[in-house]
Amino acid sequence: MTPTAQEGRALGDTLARQLVELAAPVRFGLAASEGEKRAVYALRHRIVVEEGWVESDRLPGGIEKDSHDDRALHLAGWDGDALVATARIVLPGPGHRLPTEEAFGVDVRPWGEVVDLGRGLVARPYRRRDHRTFLGLLGTA
């Protein structure tokens, strides 16, 4: 028997909660303050440079930030006071293309009903074969 849309959402919510719980002791939430957002940009910088995806001199000020960040929601995963994971949700807005639309020259429809989830990164010491920190981040999203 096929679940109803409401039952499907309830199952999805349950799975998301379980993924977040499995990522403990990492706790997830939105980077709310400017200081927390700066920590997100700094973590992104550190990881993309460590992985060799971008040369450090191409990212001034020790941060990885683009024009979409000012209107994005920034997810943060903390272990104590240490920021160990992050992802970004860019919401649609009038006159703004989503990062995926911009990068690939496509139009994502239905316009205004799709968000862009990207910049999902986990600090090296928190990367595991079971991907629990990354999955907790996705569960939060």
Side-chain angles (χ1 to χ4, degrees):
M1 185 154 100
T2 304
T4 66
Q6 184 176 2
E7 290 168 331
R9 282 190 295 275
L11 286 170
D13 288 346
T14 298
L15 174 60
R17 276 191 301 278
Q18 290 172 343
L19 292 173
V20 170
E21 289 169 6
L22 287 172
V26 177
R27 67 186 192 295
F28 300 95
L30 289 176
S33 71
E34 287 307 311
E36 288 176 341
K37 290 176 187 176
R38 179 138 179 97
V40 163
Y41 307 144
L43 177 64
R44 288 179 2 193
H45 177 276
R46 189 179 91 222
I47 292 172
V48 301
V49 169
E50 279 177 2
E51 295 301 322
W53 300 331
V54 179
E55 294 294 322
S56 182
D57 59 355
R58 295 193 58 205
L59 300 171
I63 63 171
E64 193 282 327
K65 183 177 189 268
D66 68 17
S67 62
H68 299 284
D69 283 308
D70 289 335
R71 63 188 185 92
L73 301 173
H74 298 280
L75 302 179
W78 301 90
D79 185 2
D81 291 334
L83 179 64
V84 300
T86 186
R88 165 178 92 173
I89 300 172
V90 179
L91 305 172
H96 297 284
R97 299 192 78 193
L98 295 171
T100 301
E101 292 176 311
E102 203 172 84
F104 294 100
V106 298
D107 293 319
V108 177
R109 301 286 182 238
W111 194 88
E113 297 181 33
V114 178
V115 302
D116 189 290
L117 174 63
R119 300 293 205 275
L121 298 166
V122 176
R124 194 172 279 156
Y126 290 81
R127 296 179 202 163
R128 300 178 183 167
R129 287 186 184 266
D130 63 7
H131 305 286
R132 71 177 60 189
T133 304
F134 186 72
L135 292 171
L137 191 60
L138 292 180
T140 302

